[in-house]
Amino acid sequence: MGIHNVMEDVVRDTLLTYKNKMNLACDCDRCLNDIMALALNELPPRYVANQSLSPYVRAAHETDRQGATNIITVIAKSAAKVSASPRCETYAQKH
Ligand SMILES: [Zn+2]
């Protein structure tokens, strides 16, 4: 029901694929959500009315190599910002 922002799926997939290469200070759910939120504020949304269509929109997006590069760049920038000052309990307890 309702509309769905396919960019959320793309950012989540990309973040999970690349997080090990991004030198995250912390990779708990809270920090990953912070990174996703920051990245999604910078990236254009891609709304679909029917979520069953989203794999097709995603496939179309992934063939856009310029777009894909930009998404990784934005996520890496967001990851660097969150890693510079993680706001989660997990990180606070360890430091
Ligand atoms: Zn954390």
Side-chain angles (χ1 to χ4, degrees):
M1 292 290 272
I3 58 167
H4 179 71
N5 179 7
V6 179
M7 190 58 85
E8 271 185 46
D9 300 335
V10 175
V11 168
R12 184 178 295 110
D13 284 357
T14 308
L15 179 57
L16 293 178
T17 302
Y18 288 94
K19 66 175 184 170
N20 293 334
K21 297 180 180 157
M22 289 182 177
N23 296 317
L24 301 179
C26 177
D27 68 350
C28 74
D29 285 351
R30 170 70 205 273
C31 289
L32 293 182
N33 281 338
D34 278 350
I35 295 166
M36 269 191 66
L38 275 176
L40 284 167
N41 283 338
E42 298 238 349
L43 291 163
R46 292 275 185 278
Y47 290 109
V48 291
N50 180 344
Q51 199 170 344
S52 67
L53 288 175
S54 73
Y56 301 100
V57 178
R58 204 187 308 181
H61 195 86
E62 281 168 1
T63 57
D64 172 11
R65 304 191 74 210
Q66 192 64 40
T69 305
N70 182 50
I71 288 169
I72 295 170
T73 305
V74 170
I75 294 172
K77 264 198 309 185
S78 306
K81 264 187 222 167
V82 172
S83 283
S85 55
R87 292 184 293 170
C88 67
E89 297 280 308
T90 316
Y91 185 82
Q93 281 166 13
K94 276 191 290 187
H95 292 81

